[in-house]
Every structure is written in C-alpha cells, then in structure tokens.
Amino acid sequence: MPTQPKLTRFNQNVLSKYQIYNSIFMTLPFDTITKTGALLPLFHETCQKGFTHQEDPTTIVDSFFEKYQARRSPESQINLLFRFIQYIERQVVLFDAIEDAAFPVVNNMDGIGTLRNLKETVTAENKLETLQKYLEEFKVRIVLTAHPTQFYPGSVLGIITDLTEAIRENDLLRINDLLAQLGKTPFFKHEKPSPFDEAVSLIWYLENVFYKSFGTIYDYIQQNIYDGKQIENDIINIGFWPGGDRDGNPFVTPEITLKVAARLRLSVIKSYYRNVRQLKRKLTFQGVEDRMGNLERELYNIITNEPSDITLPYFVSELKAVKQVIIEKHQSLYLDELNSLINKTHLFGFHFANLDIRQDSRKHDQFFNDMVDALIKSGSEIFPKNYHDLSEKEQVNILSKVKGEVDLTLIKDEETLKALNTMKAIKTIQETNGEKAANRYIISNNQTTLNVMQLFAMLKLVAFHDKLTVDIGPLFETITDLENAPAVMEELYSNPEYAKHLKSRGNKQTIMLGFSDGTKDGGYLMANWAIYKAKENLTRVSREHGVKVIFFDGRGGPPARGGGKTHNFYASLGPTIEDEEVQLTIQGQTISSNFGTLESSQYNLEQLISSGIGNSLSTKDLSMSQENRDVMTDLAGRSYEAYVNFKAHPKFIPYLENMSTLKYYAKTNIGSRPSKRGKSEGLVFEDLRAIPFVGSWSQLKQNVPGFFGVGTALKHYEDTNEFEKVQTLFKTSDFFKTLIENSMMSLSKSFFGLTRYMAEDPEYGEFWNVIYKEYETSKRLILKLTGYKELMQEEPSGKASIAVRESIVLPLLTIQQYALKKIQELEKAEVRDEEQIKIFEKMVTRSLFGNINASRNSA
C-alpha cells in the first residue's frame, strides 16, 4: 500500500483524533460552573464570526454574553471567562499529546534527513568510508537553557506523557481518566521556581528521553555505519545551562551550581543502575553474574548515599570484561544490550550533561576590578599598583602571563565572592564528575579581547593554577559586536599565552553568536546575515591560525526566534563556514515540542546530524556568488534601516508597555530569572530580555521579530524593477531560502484581526498601522518571491498544525485582549477600581500560558 501524503496522515492521525477526544473532553464536569464545555464552542464560533466582520474583542465578548448568557451577573461572566481559559489551555495539552503520539506516523522516520536514509545514500554513492571518517570528528550538541518559556509544571508533563501513550494505544478508558485528571490539575505556579527547580524539571528530559534516544542513535551508527566497531567520538552530547547560567540571574549561586552537578551525576547513575539491574536478570551465566551483582551494589550505594569506590573507568572496564566473557564463552548472548550500556557510558560518563557557566562581560569587569583592588590594597604583587592606568594592550599582556593565587578572604564584596567561588566550583565538579562535567565558560555580551583575558586570568588565579582545563567561549551578540568579532579573535590567537592554552585544548575555540540580542538589536535579515558573515570571517581567521572554530548558535541567532526549521539552516551553509560541530541552544517549549518524546527527539537529532554531515558530503556548491552576496548585503542593510527606524519610533516602548503583555511576564512565576536586566524604574530597550520581548509580539499575534524590515527591503527591488535579482537569490541560495521560509512561519502565526481595533486608537493607531503595513508588504512580496499562492505552501502539514493551534487559542487571545482593554479603561477612570484591575490583570496573566504552549516555538 503506497504511503499517503503527509497532510493526509496529519488529518487522519492528528486532526480527526483531536476532534473525537476533544468532544469527550468538553463533556467532562470539572467545576461548579455548569455548561462550560457546551458554551466554549459557542464562544469560539462567536470569536470567528466577529473577527470575520472586523469586530473588536470587547464587542465579541459582550455580544456573546448578550446572545447566550444574558442573565449572568458581571461576576459570573468573569468566572466563565476564567473557566474558558482553563479549558483552552487543556485543549492545547490534548492537541500536544495527540500530535506527539502521531509523530512517527506523520513523519517518515526513515525518510530524508534520517540516519537510515543517509546511510543508504552514501552506500549507493560509494561514500561509506568518507562518512565514517567524517563521523570520527563531527559532533552535535544541543544545549538545554534555563530560559523560561515552558509553562507546564512537572505534574502536567507527566499527564502529557501518559496521555500520549494512551492515545497511541487508543485506550479510551485511560484517555477518559487522564482527561479528567488534566481538568483538575492546576497549571499555575504560585511561586517562582528556584534555579535548582528549573534544573530538576529539565533533568526529567535527560532521564526519560535523551538517555534513550541518544543511545538509540549511537547504537545505530555503531552497528550500521561502523559494522559494530568502537567509535572514539561521542558524536552527540548535551549541554546544560540551568544552575550554571548566572547572566542576569542573581539566584544562581556557587552552591546551586554544585548542587545541580551532583543531581546530574546522581540521575545518570540511577539510569545506569536500572540498566544494570535489567542486564543482571539476563546475564545469569558463570563468570559474569557475580560481576554484574557487584556493579549493581556499588551503584546502589551511590544512590542511597552509602560509601562506594566505583569510578567511571572501573565501571566501564568491568562492563567490557563482562562483554569479553560473553563473546568467548556464551555465544554473544545479550551482547547488543550490553554494548548499548557501554555506549551510554561513553556518551554520558558520570556527568550526564556538560554544565556550562555563563556571565556578562560587564559583570566580569566589575568582579575583576574588585579583585585587583583588593590584591593591590593587600600588598600583593600579582598586579602592578598602576594596573588601572595601563592601556588595554598592556593590561592584556599582564593578564596573559599572570601567576599566583588569590586569597578569597581579601574579597569583601558578596557578588564578587560568589563569582570567584563559582570558578572554584568548576574545579570541584571536574574532580567529582569528570572534566567534561563543567569545562566551558561563556562570556555573554563579549566586546573586546580584554573581556576574554580578564576571565582567563581569574580562572587561573582562583582555581586552575597549574593547568586551565576550561574552554572560554566569547558570545558576540549585537550587530556591532558581530562585526568586531574577527578582530578580537585575531588578537587572541596572536597572543602566545592564549595560543598555548588553545593548543592544550586541542586547538579548538568555541564562539557563540547571536543569542538573545541578535534579532532584537538588528532585525531579522540583518541579524542572520551579520551572523553568517561573522562566521565566514571567524572561520577564515581561525583557519589562518590553525584553530578549529566551533560555532555555538543561540536561539536568537540563525534559526531565528520565532521558530523555523533549524536543520534546514545548517544544511544551507557553504564551505566558507566551519561546520565540524553543530551546537545550538534549545529552550522552553521547543524542548518539549522538538525533543519531548523518544520519536521526536530521535527524528530531530538525526535531522541535525544529517544536515551537518550532508553539507560536507554533498557535491552541491553552496557558496554564494558575488552577485548574490551583494543583493543579500543590500537587503540586510535596507531591512536594518527599516527596523532601526521602527525601534526609534516614539511609541515603540510605550506600545509594548501599554498595549502588549510585556509587563505580565514577570507575574507568571515560570522562571527564576528577573524579567529585565537593569534596575531602572521605566522600561529601557537595552534592559529588555529577549523572551518577554519576542513573546509579547507573539501574544499580540504580530510576530515582529520574524519579519519586520523584510517587506521594506524586498519592496525596493520591486520599485526599481530589479525583483528578478532577489528571485535569483531565492532560487540559488539555500541560506536565503531558509531565512524566507522561517519568516513565512512567523507571518503564518500572525493575526492582525485580533488587534485591528488599535488602528483607531488616538495614541497608538499610527504605530499599529506601521506594523500592519510592514506585515502586508512582507506577506505580499514573499509570496511574489516564492511563487506560492499561500504562506508555507510547501509544508502543508506544518501549516495545518499551526492552523489548528491558532484556532484552539483564538478565544484565549480574544479574552486576553478584552482584559487588556478593560485594564486600560479602568486605569483612565476618575476613580480607580483596584479590585477590578487586579481581576483583569490576573486574566491577562492566566491567558499567557496556553498561548505560549500552543505556539510551541515562539521564543
């Protein structure tokens, strides 16, 4: 039987099932308010019809109550709206679970971009040896960040997992019970989580998903590409930021970092213990049974906090000894399962994930100067007394050769002491969990060579006196910093002491690009093009110095905030960009949507591996022609100018502050980090964190970060009758094609009918029209550019998924806008009704959850 089109598989396995299970869900009694489930479809229909007739959210809500619930008191009406919110956010969970359950059916698990497909392709082309050689060096690292866009508490994540399983098995009775449980389980967190809580919630994915999916992928590569031989390279690994990322988060202390590292170690040992127990039941033969029993006891001792001498090398050597006995004396019985466990020890060690430390360069500068002052005051000769008067070049020279040890009792400032003790914590973690456990320090907002060398010196003086076993990764964020990055790295590579350090680290240098402030600072096209050019220049500089550069992409970088196909981006890079490793941050609901189940995790990891490898094995020339580069540079420049003018609009910040949900993010209790950087009373653009910034545009259904400036840039080419130049660029540059496709997704998730009423607002009407005009221009010209009749035409199942999600949350968005309008009216009233304001503020905050979860990759 031929495979049906992906859209048909989606409609049959996702949409149809959602309609069936949602009808069951809507009949379940969850609360004292009767008929909520029956009234919600009527409200949904009222919203759809209302927006079709260009009505505003207030009119829609009022007309619904007039038509269907005229006898309700105002208080009862508000209660019903809160019940609607509860129902809708659970409908999103139901849809998530159905889509997760259908993932292996809707997506071809052996299709293009999977390892099986890659292996068959290279075998047919006689390139298996080339692939083997490449896999000996190539790595993919996904880095789970502490950035809070995952709104589901642990209890709800558990229900989603169970519901997904029940749906896959079509177990109607269990589905019914789980939907009832879902209806009664609270989604709202009454207290902010601590950084440790954030770490624990993400470790759930390590234990329940990545431990298994990473193992499956690695086993497949070993058995099918290397014919069972041992591979030295781990190929895939996990980075981890919760408990290590202290940029803007005062609650991440050295104690928290140590506690998270200990929890990671304990979690992976528990996973090994479960595997050893399972194997022990099977390996009941002479010569191996006692050995497996001993390993089980030792691992159990660690779990129960009893003394144990077991080390990773001993654990691995014992497993390998058991393997030898099985091969020689027991006909290789259960060998595959034993091999799989040995592979997991290779992937996860006793550390599970690589814990990164991150801090802002401006903070380092503060801590470093505080340390220098304390040392000079104490009479120490580590730094000359006139250190602060020296030029930057002279300071770098001193820092590169610095020797000595800092007595931390001299440091009086609490913040500085925490920072320096964090460096000691890295050393401690390496001693207990292995070097890979914590061996990278990211400097966010890195601007100069001095920023890197200050950290270099602090690490050596505080903890790593003999040998620095930490990689320093500068993060270049803004457009200016991206332009300056090659010059900074040139200075570092030319510094004999830093070059010596790199040599001891295998001549590899990690550079992070773009992260939070890329798109926020420069707009969509410029941010991505600036990163592309920076990568080219950094590749060239690094190659000249014999250094292998590893690019680490933040979600504000290439794949772009607002979602998009990450693997398509990596597959589009040409030979001028180093691509031996793919590293990127994954955060919030993107973790659960792209990697939340074994199937989706395996599929998306395989896509990432294939995109990086396919780039190198392909005969296709991905390098950009000079003409294409000129057009791309011009487009980025015009887009940047449009975006900068937009940001400079006097209503830009007031609009976000007064017309969006920006200020409500801090009230959601989803993350331990403060919602803005600075301590200023008013809202300052530079202090805005990228997640509330992007999320607020998403809640407005305006998705500005994913398209603003694109239309203006394309229009120039239409106006000058040179549109064929951008059409040629789209047809011949995979990089530009991927950018445009990702922008289409942002446009697809926009719905200006929701906020059309703002066009008439005396204060913000003109500003709203600026955004709407750019949206219309971008949409029209992207369709003209691609030749499509509608957005995302080439990806009908993805488009269908977005359409269902947007339909589910339409009533939620309507309620949110209704509440925001009520707040504005109440705040302008002569006598402020504080109680009413609080109620509607709560309504706005509560409606954030379902909207963000439904977007899946909005931040």
Side-chain angles (χ1 to χ4, degrees):
M1 186 175 154
T3 308
Q4 292 169 313
K6 195 171 179 180
L7 181 61
T8 307
R9 299 199 302 270
F10 173 84
N11 288 334
Q12 287 176 351
N13 295 281
V14 179
L15 190 57
S16 299
K17 280 190 177 180
Y18 174 71
Q19 286 160 350
I20 294 163
Y21 294 138
N22 186 46
S23 61
I24 298 169
F25 174 70
M26 298 299 269
T27 61
L28 295 172
F30 296 132
D31 51 64
T32 49
I33 291 195
T34 53
K35 298 181 183 171
T36 305
L39 289 169
L40 182 53
L42 293 172
F43 182 57
H44 188 275
E45 190 187 0
T46 307
C47 293
Q48 282 183 315
K49 282 183 177 171
F51 286 122
T52 305
H53 295 124
Q54 297 198 358
E55 290 174 2
D56 63 88
T58 306
T59 305
I60 289 168
V61 173
D62 289 345
S63 62
F64 166 75
F65 282 120
E66 264 173 49
K67 189 172 180 182
Y68 298 108
Q69 295 287 293
R71 292 181 180 178
R72 275 189 191 272
S73 66
E75 187 186 354
S76 177
Q77 287 181 3
I78 285 169
N79 283 341
L80 182 63
L81 291 178
F82 273 112
R83 292 288 174 257
F84 282 164
I85 291 170
Q86 281 183 300
Y87 264 74
I88 295 162
E89 61 189 4
R90 284 156 178 79
Q91 283 179 311
V92 172
V93 170
L94 174 61
F95 188 76
D96 278 351
I98 292 167
E99 205 164 38
D100 285 345
F103 190 93
V105 181
V106 173
N107 296 280
N108 185 351
M109 300 298 282
D110 293 323
I112 292 169
T114 62
L115 286 176
R116 184 170 174 177
N117 177 266
L118 179 69
K119 196 240 173 179
E120 285 172 0
T121 305
V122 296
T123 306
E125 293 174 4
N126 225 5
K127 286 184 178 176
L128 190 60
E129 271 187 46
T130 314
L131 176 60
Q132 288 173 344
K133 197 163 179 247
Y134 194 74
L135 279 170
E136 282 162 18
E137 296 290 334
F138 180 74
K139 288 178 195 281
V140 167
R141 178 183 295 190
I142 56 168
V143 180
L144 309 184
T145 80
H147 291 66
T149 55
Q150 173 54 271
F151 285 75
Y152 296 139
S155 52
V156 176
L157 283 173
I159 296 170
I160 294 175
T161 305
D162 295 344
L163 191 55
T164 301
E165 193 181 310
I167 289 166
R168 193 174 287 141
E169 292 166 7
N170 289 316
D171 185 341
L172 203 56
L173 287 173
R174 195 162 164 233
I175 290 166
N176 201 60
D177 287 349
L178 285 162
L179 289 174
Q181 183 189 347
L182 186 67
K184 292 181 173 293
T185 302
F187 276 39
F188 191 71
K189 295 175 183 176
H190 292 287
E191 290 179 6
K192 271 181 173 285
S194 71
F196 183 70
D197 296 333
E198 288 173 334
V200 168
S201 67
L202 282 189
I203 289 170
W204 185 92
Y205 288 101
L206 296 184
E207 285 187 285
N208 293 284
V209 181
F210 293 118
Y211 182 77
K212 296 167 188 169
S213 63
F214 274 42
T216 304
I217 290 170
Y218 197 82
D219 292 348
Y220 180 88
I221 291 170
Q222 187 188 54
Q223 288 160 18
N224 295 281
I225 295 172
Y226 284 91
D227 213 15
K229 292 188 199 79
Q230 188 61 42
I231 324 159
E232 288 307 309
N233 183 19
D234 56 5
I235 301 171
I236 37 177
N237 56 59
I238 308 173
F240 201 77
W241 276 18
D245 180 12
R246 53 243 312 126
D247 179 8
N249 194 339
F251 308 113
V252 180
T253 61
E255 293 74 28
I256 289 278
T257 303
L258 289 165
K259 200 174 164 188
V260 169
R263 182 60 172 255
L264 283 164
R265 183 175 190 267
L266 182 64
S267 298
V268 78
I269 284 170
K270 277 183 182 173
S271 300
Y272 292 151
Y273 173 72
R274 283 191 285 268
N275 280 172
V276 166
R277 272 180 71 88
Q278 288 159 358
L279 273 166
K280 190 185 150 218
R281 291 184 65 176
K282 295 175 177 179
L283 302 178
T284 50
F285 334 128
Q286 201 174 358
V288 296
E289 189 177 19
D290 291 347
R291 278 185 135 142
M292 293 305 290
N294 176 52
L295 288 178
E296 182 193 19
R297 275 190 303 277
E298 289 293 335
L299 293 170
Y300 185 72
N301 284 345
I302 294 175
I303 293 165
T304 54
N305 237 350
E306 294 294 324
S308 171
D309 296 327
I310 195 169
T311 60
L312 180 64
Y314 174 76
F315 182 45
V316 176
S317 68
E318 280 296 281
L319 290 175
K320 285 183 175 174
V322 168
K323 175 181 171 178
Q324 208 54 42
V325 175
I326 287 172
I327 292 169
E328 289 170 8
K329 296 184 179 175
H330 303 292
Q331 292 76 48
S332 298
L333 198 55
Y334 299 122
L335 182 62
D336 283 351
E337 286 162 67
L338 183 60
N339 256 336
S340 189
L341 177 55
I342 293 170
N343 285 342
K344 288 187 177 78
T345 65
H346 183 50
L347 292 174
F348 305 115
F350 270 10
H351 61 280
F352 218 160
N354 306 63
L355 184 62
D356 284 345
I357 310 297
R358 183 173 80 120
Q359 182 56 285
D360 191 286
S361 65
R362 293 163 291 195
K363 282 288 179 188
H364 281 151
D365 190 56
Q366 175 193 324
F367 305 145
F368 176 79
N369 288 327
D370 193 33
M371 181 187 79
V372 172
D373 290 342
L375 287 169
I376 291 171
K377 192 177 173 185
S378 74
S380 163
E381 292 180 5
I382 293 174
F383 292 97
K385 289 187 170 53
N386 67 338
Y387 175 81
H388 294 303
D389 302 324
L390 299 174
S391 69
E392 197 165 301
K393 196 174 178 182
E394 287 169 322
Q395 287 182 348
V396 166
N397 191 38
I398 286 170
L399 297 179
S400 61
K401 294 169 185 168
V402 78
K403 279 188 173 63
E405 197 167 329
V406 178
D407 176 3
L408 292 188
T409 60
L410 298 172
I411 309 296
K412 303 302 174 206
D413 182 81
E414 197 181 324
E415 221 184 335
T416 304
L417 200 56
K418 275 184 189 173
L420 300 180
N421 272 321
T422 296
M423 294 169 198
K424 276 188 174 295
I426 299 170
K427 186 82 183 286
T428 306
I429 294 165
Q430 289 191 359
E431 285 161 1
T432 54
N433 297 11
E435 195 225 282
K436 285 184 180 177
N439 65 358
R440 184 163 72 176
Y441 201 126
I442 308 289
I443 309 171
S444 49
N445 191 47
N446 196 93
Q447 296 175 342
T448 65
T449 308
L450 186 63
N451 292 155
V452 174
M453 295 313 292
Q454 283 176 338
L455 177 61
F456 181 77
M458 283 191 284
L459 285 164
K460 289 179 84 168
L461 292 172
V462 173
F464 297 87
H465 314 295
D466 306 320
K467 188 185 178 191
L468 180 56
T469 51
V470 177
D471 298 318
I472 297 172
L475 161 51
F476 299 100
E477 301 193 51
T478 65
I479 304 302
T480 308
D481 291 345
L482 287 165
E483 286 169 0
N484 295 338
V488 170
M489 296 316 298
E490 173 74 54
E491 280 181 32
L492 284 167
Y493 295 152
S494 304
N495 181 306
E497 294 303 317
Y498 190 79
K500 199 167 128 189
H501 164 65
L502 280 185
K503 196 173 180 186
S504 74
R505 306 295 295 160
N507 265 333
K508 289 188 173 182
Q509 171 68 56
T510 300
I511 299 174
M512 193 174 179
L513 297 168
F515 202 41
S516 297
D517 286 333
T519 310
K520 195 185 108 199
D521 179 55
Y524 180 69
L525 280 186
M526 178 55 98
N528 284 290
W529 183 233
I531 288 164
Y532 187 94
K533 286 194 298 181
K535 280 187 172 182
E536 286 190 317
N537 291 326
L538 288 164
T539 298
R540 178 181 47 74
V541 168
S542 302
R543 284 174 180 171
E544 282 168 8
H545 287 269
V547 173
K548 184 74 73 177
V549 66
I550 296 159
F551 292 118
F552 176 18
D553 291 311
R555 282 279 295 148
R561 292 185 177 274
K565 295 287 182 186
T566 308
H567 53 267
N568 285 354
F569 177 85
Y570 287 109
S572 74
L573 301 177
T576 52
I577 292 175
E578 199 72 73
D579 62 351
E580 204 171 84
E581 290 199 27
V582 168
Q583 294 197 9
L584 73 157
T585 58
I586 306 286
Q587 63 204 36
Q589 76 279 32
T590 311
I591 297 172
S592 53
S593 63
N594 287 358
F595 300 95
T597 65
L598 288 174
E599 289 88 359
S600 64
S601 169
Q602 186 179 332
Y603 181 82
N604 285 305
L605 278 165
E606 287 190 17
Q607 293 285 331
L608 276 175
I609 293 168
S610 296
S611 66
I613 292 170
N615 203 354
S616 290
L617 297 179
S618 169
T619 50
K620 185 178 176 183
D621 183 8
L622 289 169
S623 52
M624 286 179 98
S625 68
Q626 190 53 50
E627 191 180 354
N628 276 351
R629 294 182 76 85
D630 293 343
V631 174
M632 189 68 228
T633 301
D634 187 61
L635 282 169
R638 291 179 187 284
S639 167
Y640 181 58
E641 189 184 351
Y643 182 74
V644 167
N645 290 338
F646 173 61
K647 272 197 317 186
H649 194 290
K651 294 299 175 194
F652 184 88
I653 291 292
Y655 180 82
L656 277 175
E657 200 164 16
N658 299 311
M659 305 298 275
S660 85
T661 57
L662 184 71
K663 60 189 172 193
Y664 298 94
Y665 268 77
K667 300 176 184 182
T668 54
N669 290 332
I670 52 163
S672 63
R673 181 188 308 261
S675 60
K676 67 189 184 89
R677 281 190 177 90
K679 293 178 181 174
S680 53
E681 281 298 309
L683 196 59
V684 179
F685 183 79
E686 286 68 32
D687 289 347
L688 272 181
R689 290 205 170 280
I691 284 168
F693 175 74
V694 174
S696 299
W697 291 114
S698 174
Q699 298 276 324
L700 282 167
K701 289 290 144 195
Q702 292 176 358
N703 291 326
V704 159
F707 71 80
F708 202 94
V710 176
T712 299
L714 291 173
K715 192 168 185 302
H716 166 78
Y717 283 83
E718 184 184 54
D719 292 346
T720 55
N721 293 320
E722 294 182 298
F723 204 70
E724 75 283 351
K725 284 186 178 177
V726 284
Q727 285 172 322
T728 302
L729 178 64
F730 181 76
K731 284 172 190 159
T732 57
S733 166
D734 284 6
F735 170 74
F736 183 61
K737 187 170 189 273
T738 304
L739 287 190
I740 292 297
E741 284 172 352
N742 285 349
S743 190
M744 270 197 273
M745 187 182 282
S746 287
L747 290 164
S748 295
K749 291 180 179 180
S750 298
F751 173 53
F752 279 80
L754 179 71
T755 55
R756 191 181 298 280
Y757 72 92
M758 292 181 190
E760 307 303 320
D761 189 275
E763 191 173 351
Y764 297 107
E766 182 222 333
F767 186 73
W768 184 90
N769 276 302
V770 168
I771 302 167
Y772 182 58
K773 188 182 173 192
E774 185 66 20
Y775 162 79
E776 285 285 294
T777 306
S778 298
K779 182 181 172 183
R780 178 178 70 80
L781 289 174
I782 280 179
L783 289 175
K784 181 178 178 178
L785 174 69
T786 55
Y788 297 160
K789 298 252 186 319
E790 56 184 30
L791 295 170
M792 292 183 72
Q793 183 178 303
E794 83 303 343
E795 209 194 332
S797 65
K799 185 181 173 69
S801 174
I802 288 171
V804 179
R805 288 173 179 280
E806 296 298 319
S807 174
I808 292 169
V809 295
L810 186 67
L812 199 56
L813 292 161
T814 310
I815 293 168
Q816 188 181 78
Q817 284 297 320
Y818 169 78
L820 283 166
K821 197 85 179 80
K822 284 285 183 193
I823 293 164
Q824 288 162 18
E825 288 168 9
L826 288 162
E827 284 179 339
K828 285 175 187 168
E830 282 182 28
V831 181
R832 281 171 67 96
D833 187 335
E834 296 297 343
E835 277 306 304
Q836 281 289 298
I837 289 173
K838 267 185 198 163
I839 288 166
F840 286 112
E841 281 184 337
K842 186 183 174 188
M843 195 176 281
V844 173
T845 307
R846 291 290 291 111
S847 60
L848 283 168
F849 297 79
N851 288 334
I852 282 284
N853 286 327
S855 305
R856 282 213 147 184
N857 59 2
S858 65

Coordinates of all heavy atoms in Angstrom, one line a residue, residues 620-647:
K620 N 27.0 19.5 -4.1 CA 26.3 20.8 -4.5 C 27.2 21.9 -4.0 O 27.6 21.9 -2.8 CB 24.9 20.8 -3.9 CG 24.1 22.0 -4.3 CD 22.7 21.9 -3.6 CE 22.0 23.2 -3.9 NZ 20.6 23.2 -3.3
D621 N 27.4 22.9 -4.8 CA 28.2 24.1 -4.4 C 27.3 25.1 -3.7 O 26.4 25.7 -4.2 CB 28.8 24.8 -5.7 CG 29.7 26.0 -5.3 OD1 29.9 26.1 -4.1 OD2 30.1 26.7 -6.2
L622 N 27.5 25.2 -2.4 CA 26.6 26.0 -1.5 C 27.2 27.4 -1.4 O 26.6 28.3 -0.7 CB 26.4 25.4 -0.2 CG 25.5 24.1 -0.1 CD1 25.6 23.5 1.2 CD2 24.1 24.5 -0.5
S623 N 28.4 27.7 -1.9 CA 29.0 29.0 -1.7 C 28.2 30.1 -2.5 O 27.7 29.8 -3.6 CB 30.5 29.0 -2.2 OG 30.6 28.5 -3.5
M624 N 28.1 31.2 -2.0 CA 27.3 32.3 -2.6 C 28.1 33.0 -3.6 O 29.3 33.4 -3.4 CB 26.8 33.3 -1.5 CG 25.7 32.8 -0.6 SD 25.3 34.0 0.6 CE 23.9 34.7 -0.1
S625 N 27.5 33.3 -4.8 CA 28.1 34.1 -5.8 C 28.3 35.5 -5.3 O 27.5 36.0 -4.4 CB 27.3 34.1 -7.1 OG 26.1 34.8 -6.9
Q626 N 29.2 36.3 -5.9 CA 29.4 37.7 -5.5 C 28.1 38.5 -5.7 O 27.8 39.3 -4.9 CB 30.6 38.3 -6.3 CG 31.0 39.7 -5.8 CD 31.3 39.7 -4.3 OE1 32.1 38.8 -3.8 NE2 30.7 40.6 -3.5
E627 N 27.4 38.2 -6.8 CA 26.2 39.0 -7.1 C 25.1 38.7 -6.0 O 24.5 39.6 -5.5 CB 25.6 38.6 -8.5 CG 24.5 39.5 -8.9 CD 23.9 39.1 -10.3 OE1 24.4 38.2 -10.9 OE2 22.9 39.7 -10.7
N628 N 25.0 37.4 -5.6 CA 24.1 37.1 -4.5 C 24.5 37.7 -3.2 O 23.6 38.2 -2.5 CB 24.0 35.6 -4.3 CG 23.1 34.9 -5.3 OD1 22.3 35.6 -6.0 ND2 23.1 33.6 -5.3
R629 N 25.8 37.8 -3.0 CA 26.3 38.4 -1.7 C 25.9 39.9 -1.7 O 25.5 40.4 -0.7 CB 27.8 38.3 -1.6 CG 28.2 36.8 -1.4 CD 29.8 36.8 -1.2 NE 30.1 37.2 0.1 CZ 30.1 36.4 1.2 NH1 29.8 35.2 1.0 NH2 30.4 36.9 2.4
D630 N 26.1 40.5 -2.9 CA 25.8 42.0 -3.0 C 24.3 42.2 -2.7 O 23.9 43.2 -2.0 CB 26.1 42.5 -4.3 CG 27.7 42.5 -4.6 OD1 28.4 42.4 -3.6 OD2 28.1 42.6 -5.8
V631 N 23.4 41.4 -3.3 CA 22.0 41.5 -3.1 C 21.6 41.3 -1.6 O 20.9 42.0 -1.0 CB 21.2 40.6 -4.0 CG1 19.7 40.6 -3.7 CG2 21.4 40.9 -5.5
M632 N 22.2 40.2 -1.0 CA 21.9 39.9 0.4 C 22.4 41.0 1.3 O 21.7 41.4 2.3 CB 22.7 38.6 0.7 CG 22.3 38.0 2.1 SD 20.6 37.3 2.2 CE 20.1 38.1 3.7
T633 N 23.6 41.6 1.1 CA 24.1 42.7 1.9 C 23.1 43.9 1.8 O 22.8 44.5 2.8 CB 25.5 43.1 1.4 OG1 26.3 41.9 1.5 CG2 26.1 44.2 2.2
D634 N 22.7 44.2 0.6 CA 21.8 45.3 0.3 C 20.4 45.1 1.0 O 19.9 46.0 1.7 CB 21.6 45.5 -1.2 CG 20.8 46.8 -1.5 OD1 21.3 47.9 -1.1 OD2 19.7 46.7 -2.0
L635 N 19.9 43.9 0.9 CA 18.6 43.5 1.6 C 18.8 43.7 3.1 O 17.9 44.3 3.7 CB 18.2 42.1 1.3 CG 17.6 41.8 -0.1 CD1 17.5 40.3 -0.3 CD2 16.2 42.4 -0.2
A636 N 19.8 43.2 3.6 CA 20.1 43.2 5.1 C 20.2 44.7 5.5 O 19.6 45.1 6.6 CB 21.3 42.5 5.5
G637 N 20.9 45.5 4.7 CA 21.1 46.9 5.1 C 19.8 47.7 5.1 O 19.5 48.4 6.0
R638 N 18.9 47.4 4.1 CA 17.6 48.1 4.0 C 16.7 47.6 5.1 O 15.9 48.4 5.7 CB 17.0 47.9 2.6 CG 17.8 48.5 1.5 CD 17.2 48.3 0.1 NE 18.1 48.9 -0.9 CZ 18.2 50.2 -1.2 NH1 17.5 51.0 -0.5 NH2 19.1 50.6 -2.1
S639 N 16.7 46.3 5.3 CA 15.9 45.8 6.4 C 16.3 46.4 7.8 O 15.5 46.7 8.6 CB 16.1 44.3 6.4 OG 15.6 43.7 7.6
Y640 N 17.6 46.5 8.0 CA 18.2 47.0 9.2 C 17.7 48.5 9.4 O 17.3 48.8 10.5 CB 19.7 46.9 9.2 CG 20.4 47.4 10.4 CD1 20.2 46.8 11.7 CD2 21.4 48.4 10.3 CE1 20.8 47.3 12.8 CE2 22.0 48.9 11.5 CZ 21.7 48.3 12.7 OH 22.4 48.7 13.8
E641 N 17.8 49.2 8.4 CA 17.4 50.7 8.4 C 15.9 50.8 8.8 O 15.6 51.6 9.7 CB 17.7 51.3 7.1 CG 17.5 52.8 7.1 CD 17.7 53.5 5.7 OE1 18.1 52.8 4.8 OE2 17.4 54.7 5.6
A642 N 15.1 49.9 8.2 CA 13.7 49.9 8.5 C 13.4 49.6 9.9 O 12.6 50.2 10.6 CB 12.9 49.0 7.6
Y643 N 14.1 48.6 10.4 CA 13.9 48.1 11.8 C 14.4 49.1 12.8 O 13.8 49.3 13.8 CB 14.7 46.7 12.0 CG 14.5 46.1 13.3 CD1 13.3 45.5 13.7 CD2 15.5 46.2 14.3 CE1 13.1 45.0 15.0 CE2 15.3 45.6 15.6 CZ 14.1 45.0 15.9 OH 14.0 44.5 17.1
V644 N 15.6 49.7 12.5 CA 16.1 50.7 13.5 C 15.2 51.9 13.5 O 14.9 52.4 14.6 CB 17.6 51.2 13.0 CG1 18.0 52.4 13.8 CG2 18.6 50.0 13.3
N645 N 14.6 52.4 12.4 CA 13.7 53.5 12.4 C 12.4 53.1 13.2 O 11.9 53.9 13.9 CB 13.3 53.9 11.0 CG 14.4 54.5 10.3 OD1 15.4 55.0 10.9 ND2 14.4 54.5 8.9
F646 N 12.0 51.8 13.1 CA 10.9 51.3 13.8 C 11.1 51.3 15.3 O 10.3 51.8 16.1 CB 10.6 49.9 13.3 CG 9.5 49.2 14.0 CD1 8.2 49.6 14.1 CD2 9.8 48.0 14.7 CE1 7.2 48.9 14.7 CE2 8.8 47.3 15.3 CZ 7.5 47.8 15.4
K647 N 12.3 50.9 15.7 CA 12.7 50.9 17.1 C 12.7 52.3 17.7 O 12.5 52.5 18.9 CB 14.0 50.2 17.3 CG 14.0 48.7 17.5 CD 15.3 48.2 18.1 CE 16.5 48.8 17.5 NZ 17.8 48.1 18.0

